[in-house]
Amino acid sequence: MIIGVGIDVAEIERFEAALQRTPGMAGRLFVEREVLLPSGERRGIASLAARFAAKEALAKALGAPGGLRWTDAEVFVEGSGQPRLRVKGTVAARAAELGVRSWHVSLSHDAGVASAVVIAEG
């Protein structure tokens, strides 16, 4: 059963400017594994913007409650290339309250825009 669906878009250039303007912002939005590629290189800005959009979409899928911590949701990619969500803390508590048992995530970026869709399933 679908419990919630969220969608969000982020203008990549605007997101990059916000990160540059506020140096600590990346640390408040992402866990280190989201910022760095497995090689240790920094992930590209379009990919980070898509991950930010996924976190916004996740909040919408949960009914957009206040008090969710951005770093309590992690977007990661399986070996197959499929994006997934790992949740803990405030996000996991809200998901449990709603009966969410699994997540479906889709990320995209093209023409200066990053987007994400999140489906919460119970």
Side-chain angles (χ1 to χ4, degrees), residues 1-6 58 60-63 94-104 118-122:
M1 174 175 74
I2 294 176
I3 293 173
V5 177
L58 167 66
K60 291 172 183 176
L62 293 175
R94 175 63 176 169
E97 187 179 300
L98 296 173
V100 177
R101 292 189 320 223
S102 63
W103 303 98
H104 304 276
V118 172
I119 299 171
E121 186 177 8

Short mmCIF file of all heavy atoms in Angstrom, two decimals, residues 1-6 58 60-63 94-104 118-122:
data_model
loop_
_atom_site.label_atom_id
_atom_site.label_comp_id
_atom_site.label_asym_id
_atom_site.label_seq_id
_atom_site.Cartn_x
_atom_site.Cartn_y
_atom_site.Cartn_z
N MET A 1 0.84 -1.16 0.00
CA MET A 1 0.00 0.00 0.00
C MET A 1 0.90 1.24 0.00
O MET A 1 1.86 1.33 0.75
CB MET A 1 -0.89 0.01 1.25
CG MET A 1 -1.70 1.27 1.38
SD MET A 1 -2.86 1.24 2.75
CE MET A 1 -1.76 1.44 4.12
N ILE A 2 0.56 2.21 -0.84
CA ILE A 2 1.32 3.45 -0.88
C ILE A 2 0.84 4.36 0.25
O ILE A 2 -0.34 4.66 0.36
CB ILE A 2 1.17 4.14 -2.25
CG1 ILE A 2 1.82 3.28 -3.33
CG2 ILE A 2 1.79 5.54 -2.22
CD1 ILE A 2 1.66 3.80 -4.72
N ILE A 3 1.78 4.79 1.06
CA ILE A 3 1.49 5.66 2.18
C ILE A 3 1.68 7.12 1.80
O ILE A 3 0.95 7.99 2.25
CB ILE A 3 2.35 5.27 3.39
CG1 ILE A 3 1.91 3.89 3.88
CG2 ILE A 3 2.27 6.31 4.50
CD1 ILE A 3 2.75 3.29 4.95
N GLY A 4 2.67 7.39 0.96
CA GLY A 4 2.91 8.77 0.55
C GLY A 4 3.79 8.84 -0.68
O GLY A 4 4.58 7.94 -0.94
N VAL A 5 3.63 9.93 -1.43
CA VAL A 5 4.43 10.20 -2.61
C VAL A 5 4.93 11.63 -2.51
O VAL A 5 4.17 12.53 -2.16
CB VAL A 5 3.60 10.04 -3.91
CG1 VAL A 5 4.44 10.40 -5.13
CG2 VAL A 5 3.05 8.63 -4.02
N GLY A 6 6.19 11.82 -2.82
CA GLY A 6 6.75 13.17 -2.83
C GLY A 6 7.55 13.38 -4.09
O GLY A 6 8.15 12.45 -4.63
N LEU A 58 11.17 13.14 0.08
CA LEU A 58 10.96 12.24 1.20
C LEU A 58 10.11 12.91 2.28
O LEU A 58 9.15 12.32 2.78
CB LEU A 58 12.31 11.82 1.78
CG LEU A 58 12.32 11.12 3.13
CD1 LEU A 58 11.63 9.77 3.04
CD2 LEU A 58 13.72 10.98 3.63
N LYS A 60 7.99 15.29 1.90
CA LYS A 60 6.63 15.40 1.38
C LYS A 60 5.90 14.07 1.45
O LYS A 60 4.72 14.02 1.78
CB LYS A 60 6.66 15.93 -0.06
CG LYS A 60 7.12 17.38 -0.14
CD LYS A 60 7.34 17.82 -1.57
CE LYS A 60 7.86 19.25 -1.62
NZ LYS A 60 8.18 19.66 -2.99
N ALA A 61 6.60 12.98 1.16
CA ALA A 61 5.99 11.65 1.23
C ALA A 61 5.57 11.31 2.66
O ALA A 61 4.64 10.54 2.87
CB ALA A 61 6.94 10.59 0.68
N LEU A 62 6.25 11.92 3.63
CA LEU A 62 5.93 11.69 5.05
C LEU A 62 4.95 12.72 5.60
O LEU A 62 4.71 12.78 6.80
CB LEU A 62 7.21 11.70 5.89
CG LEU A 62 8.18 10.55 5.64
CD1 LEU A 62 9.46 10.75 6.45
CD2 LEU A 62 7.54 9.21 5.95
N GLY A 63 4.39 13.54 4.73
CA GLY A 63 3.41 14.54 5.17
C GLY A 63 4.02 15.86 5.59
O GLY A 63 3.36 16.68 6.20
N ARG A 94 9.23 8.95 12.12
CA ARG A 94 8.02 9.37 11.41
C ARG A 94 7.55 8.27 10.45
O ARG A 94 6.35 7.99 10.34
CB ARG A 94 8.29 10.68 10.65
CG ARG A 94 7.15 11.14 9.79
CD ARG A 94 5.89 11.47 10.59
NE ARG A 94 4.88 12.00 9.68
CZ ARG A 94 3.63 12.19 9.99
NH1 ARG A 94 3.22 11.92 11.22
NH2 ARG A 94 2.77 12.66 9.13
N ALA A 95 8.50 7.63 9.78
CA ALA A 95 8.14 6.55 8.85
C ALA A 95 7.47 5.40 9.62
O ALA A 95 6.46 4.85 9.16
CB ALA A 95 9.38 6.05 8.12
N ALA A 96 8.00 5.05 10.78
CA ALA A 96 7.41 3.98 11.59
C ALA A 96 6.01 4.37 12.06
O ALA A 96 5.09 3.53 12.05
CB ALA A 96 8.31 3.67 12.79
N GLU A 97 5.83 5.61 12.42
CA GLU A 97 4.53 6.11 12.86
C GLU A 97 3.48 5.93 11.77
O GLU A 97 2.32 5.61 12.04
CB GLU A 97 4.69 7.60 13.20
CG GLU A 97 3.53 8.29 13.82
CD GLU A 97 3.88 9.76 14.09
OE1 GLU A 97 4.84 10.00 14.85
OE2 GLU A 97 3.21 10.63 13.53
N LEU A 98 3.89 6.11 10.52
CA LEU A 98 2.98 5.98 9.39
C LEU A 98 2.88 4.56 8.84
O LEU A 98 2.05 4.28 7.98
CB LEU A 98 3.40 6.93 8.26
CG LEU A 98 3.33 8.42 8.58
CD1 LEU A 98 3.94 9.23 7.44
CD2 LEU A 98 1.91 8.85 8.85
N GLY A 99 3.78 3.69 9.29
CA GLY A 99 3.76 2.31 8.81
C GLY A 99 4.56 2.07 7.54
O GLY A 99 4.34 1.10 6.82
N VAL A 100 5.54 2.93 7.25
CA VAL A 100 6.37 2.77 6.06
C VAL A 100 7.33 1.60 6.27
O VAL A 100 8.02 1.52 7.28
CB VAL A 100 7.17 4.06 5.75
CG1 VAL A 100 8.08 3.86 4.55
CG2 VAL A 100 6.23 5.23 5.52
N ARG A 101 7.33 0.69 5.30
CA ARG A 101 8.23 -0.46 5.36
C ARG A 101 9.29 -0.43 4.27
O ARG A 101 10.33 -1.07 4.39
CB ARG A 101 7.44 -1.76 5.26
CG ARG A 101 6.58 -2.02 6.48
CD ARG A 101 5.97 -3.39 6.46
NE ARG A 101 5.53 -3.72 5.10
CZ ARG A 101 4.38 -4.30 4.79
NH1 ARG A 101 3.56 -4.64 5.74
NH2 ARG A 101 4.06 -4.56 3.55
N SER A 102 9.02 0.29 3.18
CA SER A 102 10.02 0.36 2.11
C SER A 102 9.88 1.67 1.34
O SER A 102 8.86 2.35 1.42
CB SER A 102 9.89 -0.84 1.16
OG SER A 102 8.63 -0.83 0.52
N TRP A 103 10.94 1.99 0.62
CA TRP A 103 11.03 3.24 -0.13
C TRP A 103 11.34 2.94 -1.59
O TRP A 103 12.07 2.00 -1.89
CB TRP A 103 12.16 4.11 0.41
CG TRP A 103 12.06 4.45 1.85
CD1 TRP A 103 12.71 3.83 2.88
CD2 TRP A 103 11.28 5.48 2.45
NE1 TRP A 103 12.37 4.42 4.08
CE2 TRP A 103 11.50 5.44 3.83
CE3 TRP A 103 10.41 6.44 1.94
CZ2 TRP A 103 10.89 6.32 4.71
CZ3 TRP A 103 9.81 7.33 2.81
CH2 TRP A 103 10.05 7.25 4.19
N HIS A 104 10.84 3.80 -2.46
CA HIS A 104 11.19 3.76 -3.87
C HIS A 104 11.67 5.16 -4.22
O HIS A 104 11.02 6.16 -3.87
CB HIS A 104 9.98 3.38 -4.73
CG HIS A 104 9.38 2.08 -4.31
ND1 HIS A 104 9.85 0.86 -4.74
CD2 HIS A 104 8.35 1.81 -3.47
CE1 HIS A 104 9.13 -0.10 -4.20
NE2 HIS A 104 8.22 0.45 -3.42
N VAL A 118 9.93 10.23 -4.54
CA VAL A 118 10.04 9.25 -3.45
C VAL A 118 8.64 8.70 -3.18
O VAL A 118 7.69 9.46 -3.02
CB VAL A 118 10.63 9.87 -2.17
CG1 VAL A 118 10.55 8.90 -1.00
CG2 VAL A 118 12.07 10.32 -2.41
N ILE A 119 8.55 7.38 -3.11
CA ILE A 119 7.30 6.71 -2.74
C ILE A 119 7.55 5.95 -1.45
O ILE A 119 8.51 5.16 -1.36
CB ILE A 119 6.83 5.75 -3.85
CG1 ILE A 119 6.57 6.54 -5.14
CG2 ILE A 119 5.58 4.98 -3.40
CD1 ILE A 119 6.30 5.65 -6.34
N ALA A 120 6.71 6.20 -0.46
CA ALA A 120 6.76 5.48 0.81
C ALA A 120 5.70 4.39 0.75
O ALA A 120 4.53 4.67 0.50
CB ALA A 120 6.47 6.43 1.96
N GLU A 121 6.12 3.15 0.99
CA GLU A 121 5.24 2.01 0.89
C GLU A 121 5.11 1.32 2.23
O GLU A 121 6.10 1.15 2.95
CB GLU A 121 5.74 1.04 -0.18
CG GLU A 121 4.83 -0.10 -0.47
CD GLU A 121 5.35 -0.99 -1.59
OE1 GLU A 121 6.49 -0.82 -2.05
OE2 GLU A 121 4.59 -1.87 -2.00
N GLY A 122 3.90 0.89 2.56
CA GLY A 122 3.67 0.20 3.82
C GLY A 122 3.27 -1.23 3.62
O GLY A 122 3.09 -1.71 2.54
#
